[in-house]
Amino acid sequence: MKLAGVHPSPEVNVPGKHAAVRQMFAEIAPNYDRLNHLLSGNIDRYWRWFTVRKTRDLLSQPNALALDLCCGTGDLAFALAKFAKVIACDFCHPMLVIGREKASRFPGREARFTEGDALMLPFADKAFDVVTISFGLRNLENIDGGLKEMLRVLKPGGRAAVLEFSQPVVPVFSSIAKFYMNRIVPRIGARVSGYGAAYHYLPASVRAFPGQRELSAMMQAEGFQRVRYHNLMGGAVALHLGERQSIE
Ligand SMILES: C[S@@+](CC[C@H](N)C(=O)[O-])C[C@H]1O[C@@H](n2cnc3c(N)ncnc32)[C@H](O)[C@@H]1O
């Protein structure tokens, strides 16, 4: 079957994946929010709220500054901006345009949308109290490189939060989650967006992405401290947290 749209490699650490990923997100940008909420049954709102809750102690400090990487259309950035100033960064222009248009729905929340590559961030070292990335790390050409950049721009004592699809840990739930992700998501995604390739890429990239323990080990290897994770939806999604050492 020929699927409409670009076909990035779903495997991790594939050189050259970058351009195809950016084009894929540009193609699906107009339907991205609608499909996100539809495919997750709106639970994605809870995952983002949970991410804010786990970083809120730092966000609530005076003059706190947060960076939301791979921000897409900005849902996590707007949630963070309830508590702190936020820079929302993505390399896909059409996603950022939609994010900027949504700003009027969140009066008083300061989220500045900036075009930039998560592997080569246009920000100084030690600039942010909190750095988040939701459903973005899996899409990077190089996961270690993305984690390295997150650590570089964090202030000492700052926290990184990685929200991403992961490996379900409850056996019965695992079969249901896999069936849904591998069979249902591609069908609904293709029908609603018209770009079947993107919604075949999604489950394939989730299969290729490291599980909870492996990702924790990768964060530790890059130098993050106090690495821990929370399973959400039985581990189908996980939030990993790690800190930059406060005294260096
Ligand atoms: C699945 S979307 C997630 C969007 C948003 N964070 C959310 O939770 O809905 C992945 C986003 O990552 C962005 N992205 C992928 N690779 C990137 C990179 N190297 N630099 C910046 N953004 C990137 C894409 O453009 C896309 O907007």
Side-chain angles (χ1 to χ4, degrees), residues 139-159:
N139 299 297
L140 299 188
E141 198 168 298
N142 177 338
I143 296 176
D144 291 327
L147 292 172
K148 213 181 275 311
E149 275 295 81
M150 291 175 80
L151 190 65
R152 179 183 70 76
V153 298
L154 264 183
K155 289 180 187 169
R159 190 174 307 146

Side-chain angles (χ1 to χ4, degrees), residues 6 13 18 21 35 53 97 102 108 139 150 183-184 217 221 247:
V6 278
N13 300 339
H18 190 118
V21 166
L35 264 167
R53 200 180 112 193
V97 169
K102 280 161 65 174
N139 299 297
M150 291 175 80
R183 299 292 177 88
I184 309 292
I247 301 163

Side-chain angles (χ1 to χ4, degrees), residues 118-173:
L119 294 177
M120 226 171 28
L121 289 173
F123 306 113
D125 295 356
K126 304 181 184 176
F128 298 95
D129 300 275
V130 170
V131 177
T132 57
I133 183 164
S134 65
F135 306 105
L137 193 61
R138 181 173 34 91
N139 299 297
L140 299 188
E141 198 168 298
N142 177 338
I143 296 176
D144 291 327
L147 292 172
K148 213 181 275 311
E149 275 295 81
M150 291 175 80
L151 190 65
R152 179 183 70 76
V153 298
L154 264 183
K155 289 180 187 169
R159 190 174 307 146
V162 179
L163 181 66
E164 192 49 90
F165 290 109
S166 200
Q167 302 300 327
V169 289
V170 182
V172 178
F173 180 72

